[in-house]
Amino acid sequence: QVQLVESGGGLVQAGGSLRLSCAASGRIFPSNVMGWYRQAPGKQRELAASISSGGSTNYADSVKGRFTVSRDNNKNTVYLQMSSLKPEDTAVYYCRIHVPWESEYDYWGQGTQVTVSS
């Protein structure tokens, strides 16, 4: 089992910044992908950004140039630095760790609310 604990959400004005953190504990598979997904009210959950244990990153087009995903493998922690936030970034942000070739190794955090006011 893997536990994911997220922190850093909150309320911010448009144009502001927030940093999310997610720490993983338990049975950590060495080669994994950690990422942030978000779900706005009435919408499907979507990828915001992800990063592999080797450092390869993937971003949604809507956040490119504004969000930066990073990780500390020694701490099994992934970060999401969000800048130039827009009201449309308002969502619950979920942390995920998974191994693409191991379908059963797929864990999610409980989610943290990010609200951007206009």
Side-chain angles (χ1 to χ4, degrees):
Q1 288 292 329
V2 176
Q3 295 77 43
L4 297 170
V5 178
E6 299 141 332
S7 60
L11 173 65
V12 64
Q13 288 187 333
S17 299
L18 278 176
R19 188 191 194 212
L20 305 182
S21 300
C22 173
S25 62
R27 187 175 66 91
I28 306 299
F29 199 92
S31 297
N32 61 68
V33 179
M34 296 187 76
W36 292 94
Y37 292 69
R38 63 186 186 180
Q39 187 167 19
K43 295 188 177 181
Q44 289 189 331
R45 191 174 298 186
E46 62 177 9
L47 171 72
S50 66
I51 182 168
S52 71
S53 51
S56 297
T57 58
N58 187 29
Y59 292 94
D61 288 342
S62 58
V63 308
K64 283 181 180 177
R66 301 188 298 120
F67 291 10
T68 301
V69 64
S70 61
R71 63 187 289 166
D72 184 334
N73 289 332
N74 291 327
K75 296 181 179 180
N76 295 316
T77 300
V78 64
Y79 306 95
L80 186 66
Q81 179 66 49
M82 304 183 291
S83 303
S84 302
L85 283 161
K86 305 175 181 179
E88 50 264 44
D89 293 317
T90 295
V92 177
Y93 284 70
Y94 296 91
C95 177
R96 180 192 187 196
I97 183 171
H98 77 285
V99 174
W101 56 89
E102 292 284 348
S103 60
E104 293 188 357
Y105 195 94
D106 192 347
Y107 301 93
W108 293 83
Q110 79 284 359
T112 185
Q113 177 71 46
V114 171
T115 303
V116 184
S117 63
S118 57

